[in-house]
Amino acid sequence: MQKIPLSDWDPNFIDRSPLFEPLGPLAALFSRFEHWPGLADYQRILAAWPHPIKTLGGMPLKIVAQDGKPPSFEHHYAPRIYLTGEIQTRTENWHDFFQYLSWFMFPNTKALINATHIPHARNRIAGGGALGRRTPIENMLSLFDEGGAVIVSSDPSLLALIRAFRWKELLWQRRDDVMHRLQCITFGHAMYEKALSPYLGMTANAILLECEEDFLGLDWPAKWAWLDDRLVAMLRDSTHLTQPKDLAPFPILGMPGWDAANESEAFYDNTRYFRPGRRIQCREG
């Protein structure tokens, strides 16, 4: 992957790596911008979207400028989204740009993640605790929201190799199966930002999902909708995804074609990146 300065706008960022492919229909909306789009542009595109995006509290999403120190709980980032729909967004900022785009792809999952944080944070403040001391489920949700990916496969044996940390067997010995029967779809906006200046060590916090073979042939909006429904169902199920270790670590640059160096078998011998890891049963849907 080529690197670009994080302050520079690139209307063709999607062409830099297969990692950005899930953003295709959204990237097309910004391809005509020669310079960074402004917050008014974000809001105009949001307003024209055929499916209104709302918080779980029923408030339409709105793009607003980032404010200073919040004077009360209701003005903090997550509560403000839930209560008013206002998502504070910095200009000329890739992190916030990808955060914005993720709401288009996974509106119901994003709304549920946002809403789940609210009672936990409110309880901490009511009990005299610090706003930043999160519960295990909040930590899990934050890890996924920032650096998450969904790995979908029609072959359960490929997902089993991820859970077992058998990276070389998965990504080299079964490379053809991975290319045709497995898809890694980045969820986290911070992971998209990292891909602009990729580095060996980038690791996604993944949720593993089985799918029918026809899923991989769907267009991106259809994939977004399928994934959004599945993720919401999993997050609402109290037996799934309750703590950070329920997410599967995944060395994302090992995906075929996602780094020029991984065309060589020796790439997968780097155990500092492709670590043996913990032997746990990461949650799967």
Side-chain angles (χ1 to χ4, degrees), residues 119-142:
H120 292 280
R122 197 184 296 277
N123 288 340
R124 277 197 301 279
I125 291 180
L131 184 63
R133 292 181 62 85
R134 292 170 170 167
T135 62
I137 190 169
E138 288 179 281
N139 284 329
M140 181 277 299
L141 291 172
S142 295

Side-chain angles (χ1 to χ4, degrees), residues 191-243:
M191 187 59 63
Y192 281 115
E193 181 186 20
K194 290 177 181 179
L196 296 171
S197 296
Y199 59 90
L200 203 60
M202 286 174 58
T203 302
N205 299 294
I207 292 174
L208 313 182
L209 295 176
E210 291 185 27
C211 67
E212 299 296 332
E213 289 188 11
D214 60 358
F215 170 83
L216 300 177
L218 298 175
D219 62 19
W220 280 114
K223 287 179 180 177
W224 298 342
W226 187 91
L227 290 167
D228 201 25
D229 287 344
R230 290 294 300 273
L231 290 172
V232 165
M234 289 186 73
L235 292 173
R236 282 180 172 159
D237 183 349
S238 60
T239 63
H240 285 74
L241 302 171
T242 61
Q243 55 191 329

